[in-house]
mmCIF file of all heavy atoms in Angstrom:
data_model
loop_
_atom_site.group_PDB
_atom_site.id
_atom_site.type_symbol
_atom_site.label_atom_id
_atom_site.label_comp_id
_atom_site.label_asym_id
_atom_site.label_seq_id
_atom_site.Cartn_x
_atom_site.Cartn_y
_atom_site.Cartn_z
ATOM 1 N N PRO A 397 -37.351 -154.762 -34.190
ATOM 2 C CA PRO A 397 -36.635 -156.005 -34.525
ATOM 3 C C PRO A 397 -37.466 -156.905 -35.508
ATOM 4 O O PRO A 397 -38.601 -157.000 -35.235
ATOM 5 C CB PRO A 397 -36.285 -156.598 -33.160
ATOM 6 C CG PRO A 397 -37.325 -155.965 -32.240
ATOM 7 C CD PRO A 397 -37.666 -154.699 -32.816
ATOM 8 N N LEU A 398 -36.777 -157.457 -36.494
ATOM 9 C CA LEU A 398 -37.552 -158.296 -37.406
ATOM 10 C C LEU A 398 -37.924 -159.691 -36.743
ATOM 11 O O LEU A 398 -38.919 -160.234 -37.033
ATOM 12 C CB LEU A 398 -36.684 -158.616 -38.625
ATOM 13 C CG LEU A 398 -36.487 -157.440 -39.580
ATOM 14 C CD1 LEU A 398 -35.525 -157.776 -40.735
ATOM 15 C CD2 LEU A 398 -37.739 -156.808 -40.093
ATOM 16 N N ASN A 399 -37.029 -160.074 -35.815
ATOM 17 C CA ASN A 399 -37.331 -161.393 -35.252
ATOM 18 C C ASN A 399 -37.627 -161.171 -33.739
ATOM 19 O O ASN A 399 -36.955 -160.384 -32.982
ATOM 20 C CB ASN A 399 -35.999 -162.318 -35.213
ATOM 21 C CG ASN A 399 -35.683 -162.613 -36.736
ATOM 22 O OD1 ASN A 399 -36.538 -162.944 -37.497
ATOM 23 N ND2 ASN A 399 -34.425 -162.533 -36.981
ATOM 24 N N PRO A 400 -38.629 -161.904 -33.217
ATOM 25 C CA PRO A 400 -39.081 -161.673 -31.865
ATOM 26 C C PRO A 400 -37.962 -162.230 -30.924
ATOM 27 O O PRO A 400 -37.187 -163.085 -31.417
ATOM 28 C CB PRO A 400 -40.355 -162.507 -31.668
ATOM 29 C CG PRO A 400 -40.237 -163.545 -32.790
ATOM 30 C CD PRO A 400 -39.459 -162.819 -34.003
ATOM 31 N N PRO A 401 -37.923 -161.788 -29.614
ATOM 32 C CA PRO A 401 -36.929 -162.407 -28.748
ATOM 33 C C PRO A 401 -37.095 -163.824 -28.630
ATOM 34 O O PRO A 401 -38.158 -164.398 -28.642
ATOM 35 C CB PRO A 401 -37.253 -161.674 -27.399
ATOM 36 C CG PRO A 401 -38.083 -160.551 -27.788
ATOM 37 C CD PRO A 401 -38.823 -160.868 -28.980
ATOM 38 N N GLU A 402 -35.877 -164.483 -28.536
ATOM 39 C CA GLU A 402 -35.911 -166.004 -28.418
ATOM 40 C C GLU A 402 -36.528 -166.390 -27.067
ATOM 41 O O GLU A 402 -36.240 -165.761 -26.027
ATOM 42 C CB GLU A 402 -34.481 -166.568 -28.500
ATOM 43 C CG GLU A 402 -33.878 -166.349 -29.869
ATOM 44 C CD GLU A 402 -32.557 -167.110 -29.966
ATOM 45 O OE1 GLU A 402 -32.147 -167.750 -28.968
ATOM 46 O OE2 GLU A 402 -31.887 -166.964 -30.985
ATOM 47 N N GLN A 403 -37.369 -167.331 -27.084
ATOM 48 C CA GLN A 403 -38.064 -167.871 -25.936
ATOM 49 C C GLN A 403 -37.445 -169.279 -25.578
ATOM 50 O O GLN A 403 -37.098 -170.009 -26.499
ATOM 51 C CB GLN A 403 -39.519 -168.007 -26.181
ATOM 52 C CG GLN A 403 -40.185 -166.657 -26.378
ATOM 53 C CD GLN A 403 -41.719 -166.769 -26.617
ATOM 54 O OE1 GLN A 403 -42.236 -167.891 -26.785
ATOM 55 N NE2 GLN A 403 -42.446 -165.739 -26.675
ATOM 56 N N GLU A 404 -37.340 -169.404 -24.324
ATOM 57 C CA GLU A 404 -36.835 -170.784 -23.897
ATOM 58 C C GLU A 404 -37.881 -171.886 -24.192
ATOM 59 O O GLU A 404 -39.043 -171.699 -23.864
ATOM 60 C CB GLU A 404 -36.521 -170.786 -22.396
ATOM 61 C CG GLU A 404 -35.895 -172.023 -21.907
ATOM 62 C CD GLU A 404 -35.366 -171.896 -20.545
ATOM 63 O OE1 GLU A 404 -35.335 -170.799 -20.033
ATOM 64 O OE2 GLU A 404 -35.248 -172.912 -19.788
ATOM 65 N N VAL A 405 -37.452 -172.893 -24.873
ATOM 66 C CA VAL A 405 -38.402 -173.956 -25.293
ATOM 67 C C VAL A 405 -38.057 -175.205 -24.525
ATOM 68 O O VAL A 405 -36.873 -175.645 -24.494
ATOM 69 C CB VAL A 405 -38.256 -174.231 -26.863
ATOM 70 C CG1 VAL A 405 -39.162 -175.336 -27.202
ATOM 71 C CG2 VAL A 405 -38.548 -172.897 -27.621
ATOM 72 N N GLU A 406 -39.066 -175.750 -23.937
ATOM 73 C CA GLU A 406 -38.863 -177.096 -23.220
ATOM 74 C C GLU A 406 -38.852 -178.142 -24.188
ATOM 75 O O GLU A 406 -39.875 -178.348 -24.984
ATOM 76 C CB GLU A 406 -39.923 -177.242 -22.175
ATOM 77 C CG GLU A 406 -39.750 -178.487 -21.329
ATOM 78 C CD GLU A 406 -40.921 -178.699 -20.311
ATOM 79 O OE1 GLU A 406 -41.755 -177.821 -20.287
ATOM 80 O OE2 GLU A 406 -40.861 -179.704 -19.685
ATOM 81 N N LEU A 407 -37.812 -178.887 -24.211
ATOM 82 C CA LEU A 407 -37.723 -180.081 -25.133
ATOM 83 C C LEU A 407 -38.262 -181.320 -24.385
ATOM 84 O O LEU A 407 -37.772 -181.660 -23.275
ATOM 85 C CB LEU A 407 -36.296 -180.300 -25.692
ATOM 86 C CG LEU A 407 -35.797 -179.188 -26.486
ATOM 87 C CD1 LEU A 407 -34.355 -179.458 -26.883
ATOM 88 C CD2 LEU A 407 -36.580 -178.837 -27.782
ATOM 89 N N ILE A 408 -39.098 -182.042 -25.042
ATOM 90 C CA ILE A 408 -39.626 -183.336 -24.373
ATOM 91 C C ILE A 408 -39.115 -184.536 -25.336
ATOM 92 O O ILE A 408 -39.460 -184.591 -26.458
ATOM 93 C CB ILE A 408 -41.152 -183.330 -24.417
ATOM 94 C CG1 ILE A 408 -41.639 -182.138 -23.523
ATOM 95 C CG2 ILE A 408 -41.666 -184.654 -23.776
ATOM 96 C CD1 ILE A 408 -43.194 -181.952 -23.491
ATOM 97 N N GLU A 409 -38.393 -185.374 -24.684
ATOM 98 C CA GLU A 409 -37.832 -186.426 -25.324
ATOM 99 C C GLU A 409 -38.785 -187.613 -25.326
ATOM 100 O O GLU A 409 -39.149 -188.102 -24.203
ATOM 101 C CB GLU A 409 -36.387 -186.907 -24.780
ATOM 102 C CG GLU A 409 -35.764 -188.015 -25.482
ATOM 103 C CD GLU A 409 -34.373 -188.244 -24.982
ATOM 104 O OE1 GLU A 409 -33.854 -187.488 -24.151
ATOM 105 O OE2 GLU A 409 -33.779 -189.339 -25.378
ATOM 106 N N LEU A 410 -39.171 -188.113 -26.447
ATOM 107 C CA LEU A 410 -40.041 -189.223 -26.538
ATOM 108 C C LEU A 410 -39.225 -190.600 -26.685
ATOM 109 O O LEU A 410 -38.308 -190.680 -27.431
ATOM 110 C CB LEU A 410 -41.001 -189.106 -27.707
ATOM 111 C CG LEU A 410 -41.930 -187.885 -27.763
ATOM 112 C CD1 LEU A 410 -42.704 -187.889 -29.018
ATOM 113 C CD2 LEU A 410 -42.835 -187.884 -26.551
ATOM 114 N N SER A 411 -39.676 -191.511 -25.941
ATOM 115 C CA SER A 411 -39.107 -192.839 -26.008
ATOM 116 C C SER A 411 -39.499 -193.549 -27.405
ATOM 117 O O SER A 411 -40.534 -193.203 -27.876
ATOM 118 C CB SER A 411 -39.435 -193.733 -24.850
ATOM 119 O OG SER A 411 -40.816 -194.143 -24.921
ATOM 120 N N PRO A 412 -38.671 -194.479 -27.884
ATOM 121 C CA PRO A 412 -39.018 -195.091 -29.137
ATOM 122 C C PRO A 412 -40.419 -195.892 -29.039
ATOM 123 O O PRO A 412 -41.025 -196.047 -29.983
ATOM 124 C CB PRO A 412 -37.834 -196.087 -29.389
ATOM 125 C CG PRO A 412 -36.672 -195.537 -28.571
ATOM 126 C CD PRO A 412 -37.355 -194.891 -27.422
ATOM 127 N N GLN A 413 -40.724 -196.294 -27.807
ATOM 128 C CA GLN A 413 -41.910 -197.088 -27.578
ATOM 129 C C GLN A 413 -43.174 -196.200 -27.437
ATOM 130 O O GLN A 413 -44.284 -196.741 -27.362
ATOM 131 C CB GLN A 413 -41.763 -197.923 -26.431
ATOM 132 C CG GLN A 413 -40.580 -198.912 -26.447
ATOM 133 C CD GLN A 413 -40.332 -199.565 -25.094
ATOM 134 O OE1 GLN A 413 -40.919 -199.224 -24.113
ATOM 135 N NE2 GLN A 413 -39.372 -200.465 -25.066
ATOM 136 N N GLN A 414 -42.950 -194.927 -27.473
ATOM 137 C CA GLN A 414 -44.142 -194.006 -27.277
ATOM 138 C C GLN A 414 -45.221 -194.277 -28.351
ATOM 139 O O GLN A 414 -44.991 -194.302 -29.521
ATOM 140 C CB GLN A 414 -43.668 -192.549 -27.374
ATOM 141 C CG GLN A 414 -44.776 -191.509 -27.004
ATOM 142 C CD GLN A 414 -44.802 -191.322 -25.497
ATOM 143 O OE1 GLN A 414 -43.775 -191.539 -24.755
ATOM 144 N NE2 GLN A 414 -45.825 -190.833 -24.974
ATOM 145 N N GLY A 415 -46.439 -194.469 -27.839
ATOM 146 C CA GLY A 415 -47.590 -194.602 -28.720
ATOM 147 C C GLY A 415 -47.836 -196.043 -29.234
ATOM 148 O O GLY A 415 -48.745 -196.406 -29.962
ATOM 149 N N ILE A 416 -46.989 -196.997 -28.736
ATOM 150 C CA ILE A 416 -47.184 -198.411 -29.031
ATOM 151 C C ILE A 416 -47.897 -199.163 -27.932
ATOM 152 O O ILE A 416 -47.492 -199.080 -26.743
ATOM 153 C CB ILE A 416 -45.807 -199.076 -29.343
ATOM 154 C CG1 ILE A 416 -45.252 -198.419 -30.560
ATOM 155 C CG2 ILE A 416 -45.952 -200.582 -29.642
ATOM 156 C CD1 ILE A 416 -43.772 -198.956 -30.876
ATOM 157 N N ILE A 417 -48.881 -199.887 -28.236
ATOM 158 C CA ILE A 417 -49.671 -200.568 -27.202
ATOM 159 C C ILE A 417 -49.802 -202.098 -27.576
ATOM 160 O O ILE A 417 -49.986 -202.425 -28.729
ATOM 161 C CB ILE A 417 -51.168 -200.027 -27.277
ATOM 162 C CG1 ILE A 417 -51.151 -198.526 -26.746
ATOM 163 C CG2 ILE A 417 -51.984 -200.773 -26.149
ATOM 164 C CD1 ILE A 417 -52.446 -197.864 -26.839
ATOM 165 N N ILE A 418 -49.542 -202.905 -26.465
ATOM 166 C CA ILE A 418 -49.600 -204.324 -26.650
ATOM 167 C C ILE A 418 -50.837 -204.861 -26.008
ATOM 168 O O ILE A 418 -51.062 -204.588 -24.812
ATOM 169 C CB ILE A 418 -48.398 -205.014 -26.145
ATOM 170 C CG1 ILE A 418 -47.106 -204.440 -26.606
ATOM 171 C CG2 ILE A 418 -48.434 -206.516 -26.370
ATOM 172 C CD1 ILE A 418 -46.883 -204.549 -28.092
ATOM 173 N N ASN A 419 -51.702 -205.620 -26.709
ATOM 174 C CA ASN A 419 -52.879 -206.248 -26.117
ATOM 175 C C ASN A 419 -52.812 -207.775 -26.200
ATOM 176 O O ASN A 419 -52.429 -208.220 -27.362
ATOM 177 C CB ASN A 419 -54.196 -205.762 -26.797
ATOM 178 C CG ASN A 419 -54.411 -204.324 -26.437
ATOM 179 O OD1 ASN A 419 -54.472 -203.884 -25.214
ATOM 180 N ND2 ASN A 419 -54.757 -203.484 -27.397
ATOM 181 N N LYS A 420 -52.915 -208.496 -25.188
ATOM 182 C CA LYS A 420 -52.896 -209.898 -25.242
ATOM 183 C C LYS A 420 -54.294 -210.438 -25.564
ATOM 184 O O LYS A 420 -55.214 -210.339 -24.749
ATOM 185 C CB LYS A 420 -52.343 -210.537 -23.938
ATOM 186 C CG LYS A 420 -52.027 -212.039 -23.970
ATOM 187 C CD LYS A 420 -51.366 -212.482 -22.697
ATOM 188 C CE LYS A 420 -50.977 -214.000 -22.820
ATOM 189 N NZ LYS A 420 -50.216 -214.399 -21.616
ATOM 190 N N LEU A 421 -54.510 -210.948 -26.804
ATOM 191 C CA LEU A 421 -55.805 -211.414 -27.158
ATOM 192 C C LEU A 421 -56.097 -212.825 -26.702
ATOM 193 O O LEU A 421 -57.291 -213.228 -26.538
ATOM 194 C CB LEU A 421 -55.949 -211.306 -28.717
ATOM 195 C CG LEU A 421 -55.621 -209.970 -29.350
ATOM 196 C CD1 LEU A 421 -55.856 -209.964 -30.849
ATOM 197 C CD2 LEU A 421 -56.569 -208.846 -28.717
ATOM 198 N N ALA A 422 -55.053 -213.617 -26.588
ATOM 199 C CA ALA A 422 -55.195 -215.075 -26.100
ATOM 200 C C ALA A 422 -53.849 -215.430 -25.533
ATOM 201 O O ALA A 422 -52.929 -214.579 -25.524
ATOM 202 C CB ALA A 422 -55.604 -215.959 -27.305
#
Side-chain angles (χ1 to χ4, degrees):
L398 292 179
N399 298 316
E402 292 186 4
Q403 297 180 349
E404 187 175 339
V405 178
E406 181 182 358
L407 298 178
I408 301 174
E409 185 176 349
L410 298 178
S411 69
Q413 301 170 353
Q414 189 81 26
I416 297 175
I417 299 173
I418 308 294
N419 288 312
K420 191 172 184 179
L421 304 181

